[in-house]
């Protein structure tokens, strides 16, 4: 709970400071709903991307000429599957994590029109990996000495870069975006001696998230 509280505090401070931009112009509060497809890019495991949901709050305001800014917070559940085996059978095990993201995006209106290119940094605070208890002792294909339960304690704080395109009307817009995890989300596992001793080399993984959202502005 402490890490999520810290994220809320950071978001509040950011909103207060950046609300000064666009003064005398417009600031719109947005509520977004959408879906995401999450992948984990790694050479250590066999990963399959999966779909899940995302929702958020944001504020969009004019900045300068064709530039505007978006700052906000997203709540997401991300899911992907990992290939495992138990006995003589193989099984794809779903791994999930809850995350809170604070983002600050610079947006460029193409030709001054309703379509904009959006890009910027994202701070992500996420949970451990969650999985079905019945699968916790399955061994992982690609790192056969590791079990599913050995890799649950991933990094809590991560940084992503965001690039996307959005368009529509003043009060409703659609967005399509991609986030790439700059930080090695598996690095915390390398700090655990028992896991590091079993891993086939250093564990390294970067998130890749494609998301589509509909945003309602008020």
């Amino acid at each position: 709970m402490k890490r999520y509280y810290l994220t809320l505090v950071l978001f509040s401070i950011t909103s207060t400071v950046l609300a000064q931009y666009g003064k005398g112009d417009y600031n719109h509060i947005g509520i977004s709903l959408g879906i995401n497809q999450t992948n984990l890019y790694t050479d250590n495991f066999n990963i399959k991307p999966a779909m899940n949901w995302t929702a958020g709050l944001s504020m969009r305001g004019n900045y300068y000429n064709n530039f505007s800014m978006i700052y906000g917070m997203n709540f997401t559940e991300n899911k992907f599957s990992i290939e495992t085996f138990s006995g003589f059978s193989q099984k794809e095990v779903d791994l999930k994590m809850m995350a809170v993201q604070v983002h600050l995006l610079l947006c460029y209106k193409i030709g001054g029109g309703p379509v904009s290119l959006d890009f910027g940094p994202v701070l992500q605070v996420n949970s451990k990996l969650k999985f079905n208890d019945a699968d916790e002792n399955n061994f992982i294909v690609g790192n056969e000495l590791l079990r599913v339960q050995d890799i649950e304690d991933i990094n809590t704080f991560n940084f992503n870069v965001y690039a996307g395109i959005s368009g529509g009307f003043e009060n409703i817009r659609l967005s399509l975006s991609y986030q790439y995890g700059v930080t090695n989300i598996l690095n915390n596992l390398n700090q655990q001696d028992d896991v590091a001793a079993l891993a086939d080399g250093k564990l390294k993984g970067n998130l890749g998230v494609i998301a589509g959202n509909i945003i309602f502005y008020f």
Side-chain angles (χ1 to χ4, degrees):
M1 290 298 295
K2 288 183 179 179
R3 56 178 177 266
Y4 293 115
Y5 176 74
L6 176 60
T7 304
L8 288 170
V9 171
L10 290 173
F11 174 69
S12 300
I13 294 173
T14 303
S15 297
T16 301
V17 174
L18 294 177
Q20 302 307 311
Y21 292 113
K23 220 169 184 180
D25 210 325
Y26 76 83
N27 282 324
H28 284 182
I29 297 174
I31 298 176
S32 63
L33 299 170
I35 57 175
N36 67 69
Q37 183 186 66
T38 303
N39 199 356
L40 178 66
Y41 302 116
T42 178
D43 294 328
N44 300 109
F45 317 124
N46 295 334
I47 299 294
K48 182 178 179 181
M51 304 289 291
N52 224 307
W53 60 267
T54 181
L57 296 170
S58 63
M59 183 172 288
R60 186 184 189 105
N62 280 354
Y63 183 63
Y64 179 76
N65 289 342
N66 289 338
F67 289 93
S68 59
M69 296 188 74
I70 300 174
Y71 42 98
M73 176 181 289
N74 287 336
F75 303 88
T76 71
E77 184 176 63
N78 302 88
K79 181 172 71 174
F80 51 87
S81 61
I82 187 170
E83 191 173 351
T84 72
F85 67 91
S86 178
F88 296 101
S89 61
Q90 290 195 5
K91 179 182 180 180
E92 289 184 352
V93 173
D94 288 335
L95 301 176
K96 297 180 182 180
M97 67 178 184
M98 298 297 299
V100 179
Q101 296 183 332
V102 176
H103 57 268
L104 173 61
L105 308 178
L106 182 64
C107 311
Y108 175 73
K109 301 176 186 177
I110 301 175
V115 178
S116 66
L117 300 176
D118 313 323
F119 49 92
V122 179
L123 169 63
Q124 175 173 303
V125 183
N126 52 260
S127 68
K128 297 179 180 180
L129 292 178
K130 306 297 182 181
F131 43 82
N132 192 311
D133 289 343
D135 299 319
E136 65 179 9
N137 289 313
N138 287 20
F139 290 95
I140 299 173
V141 173
N143 255 282
E144 283 74 9
L145 296 179
L146 289 176
R147 296 171 297 174
V148 171
Q149 65 179 344
D150 293 327
I151 64 169
E152 68 172 332
D153 196 12
I154 57 175
N155 285 19
T156 299
F157 289 90
N158 292 283
F159 288 93
N160 305 336
V161 290
Y162 177 110
I165 185 169
S166 61
F169 305 97
E170 184 174 345
N171 296 113
I172 184 170
R173 294 175 70 88
L174 298 175
S175 72
L176 179 64
S177 65
Y178 176 76
Q179 289 187 41
Y180 178 77
V182 177
T183 50
N184 174 12
I185 197 170
L186 302 179
N187 191 55
N188 192 53
L189 301 175
N190 295 317
Q191 313 307 316
Q192 302 172 28
D193 293 338
D194 53 341
V195 176
L198 296 174
D200 181 18
K202 186 175 182 179
L203 297 176
K204 185 178 187 302
N206 302 87
L207 284 180
V209 182
I210 300 173
N213 288 276
I214 182 169
I215 309 110
F216 302 95
Y217 285 104
F218 303 92

